[in-house]
Amino acid sequence: VNILASDSSDSWVAAALGDLATLLVDHAHCERKAAQTALKHLAVFPDWTALAQPMSRLAREELVHHERVLKELSHRGYPMKALPSASYASELHKACRPAGSPRAGQPRSWQGPRTIDEMLCGALIEARSHERFVKLAWATDDRRLRDLYEDLLEAEARHGSLYLDLAHEVAGDEAAVAARLAEMAAHEAAVLIRRDQPVRMHAGGH
Ligand SMILES: [Fe+2]
Ligand SMILES: [Fe+2]
């Protein structure tokens, strides 16, 4: 299911493919950050049984993606380097509600609405990556690039589902998650098209 509130624009696709060195360097950073976020979740939620195994696998997969993108950079002769962030994820997280307390019988690490929203941020980031990989694979006539994005699609879709399942577990209420997801998705769509941002996997092109 597509949880996003918007499609990526043709202008972003053109901007991204027009600066492939920057796109791929940023992509490598994205995969590394996705692994770091997963490790952070494992540290913050040690008593969340349903999170432990799949989040650990997710962290490993993101590092495999990271290595794959590093290889692509090196194949193309693009140097890996530091790149200022366009703050997509941090802007997204600004919409997270404050922490609440866990209810009786819930894992002590849960923080109510804040945890639901953090999981929804994860779901939206993964869903947006998936949507953009599909667009890039479609738009490019560079076969290696198309293969790269097609190879990563399946995992990102699965990661999105995992985060959504985790949000549902905390909320325990399908309708409440759907309503909150719609709000967060609208916020994500607005963050994505902020004007005058540098070209990044989740920014620029507007
Ligand atoms: Fe990934
Ligand atoms: Fe992912």
Side-chain angles (χ1 to χ4, degrees):
V1 287
N2 182 12
I3 60 171
L4 297 170
S6 70
D7 292 334
S8 292
S9 65
D10 293 343
S11 64
W12 175 79
V13 175
L17 292 177
D19 189 356
L20 206 49
T22 300
L23 182 75
L24 285 169
V25 167
D26 184 54
H27 185 173
H29 285 292
C30 286
E31 301 290 2
R32 189 253 314 150
K33 286 185 223 174
Q36 274 180 316
T37 301
L39 289 177
K40 189 195 78 187
H41 291 326
L42 287 166
V44 170
F45 304 110
D47 53 355
W48 190 347
T49 310
L51 176 137
Q53 287 280 357
M55 196 58 74
S56 178
R57 178 182 173 187
L58 187 152
R60 281 190 291 122
E61 288 176 337
E62 302 297 16
L63 284 180
V64 172
H65 296 175
H66 178 246
E67 290 158 37
R68 177 85 198 268
V69 180
L70 288 180
K71 247 186 218 162
E72 194 57 33
L73 281 167
S74 131
H75 176 85
R76 290 172 188 267
Y78 299 149
M80 182 59 180
K81 58 179 182 186
L83 203 58
S85 163
S87 307
Y88 162 78
S90 58
E91 285 297 321
L92 199 53
H93 277 90
K94 283 183 185 168
C96 290
R97 291 169 291 180
S101 312
R103 293 194 296 273
Q106 289 184 338
R108 293 182 63 90
S109 63
W110 285 6
Q111 297 189 317
R114 174 148 211 103
T115 302
I116 295 169
D117 289 358
E118 282 176 349
M119 295 301 121
L120 291 179
C121 283
L124 287 164
I125 293 168
E126 296 283 352
R128 182 59 73 185
S129 301
H130 179 271
E131 188 255 353
R132 292 203 149 177
F133 292 177
V134 170
K135 284 236 155 160
L136 291 168
W138 264 91
T140 185
D141 44 23
D142 179 327
R143 190 166 175 176
R144 282 187 64 97
L145 196 70
R146 193 182 65 219
D147 288 349
L148 169 70
Y149 289 121
E150 286 184 344
D151 287 351
L152 300 182
L153 283 175
E154 177 274 333
E156 308 305 5
R158 188 157 37 73
H159 297 166
S161 303
L162 169 64
Y163 276 113
L164 201 55
D165 288 349
L166 293 169
H168 277 116
E169 190 190 351
V170 180
D173 177 346
E174 294 272 327
V177 172
R180 184 60 186 150
L181 179 57
E183 292 171 356
M184 299 281 291
H187 174 62
E188 190 273 344
V191 168
L192 201 67
I193 58 166
R194 284 169 301 153
R195 304 245 158 223
D196 305 321
Q197 296 293 317
V199 172
R200 298 289 183 267
M201 185 55 80
H202 296 106
H206 289 273

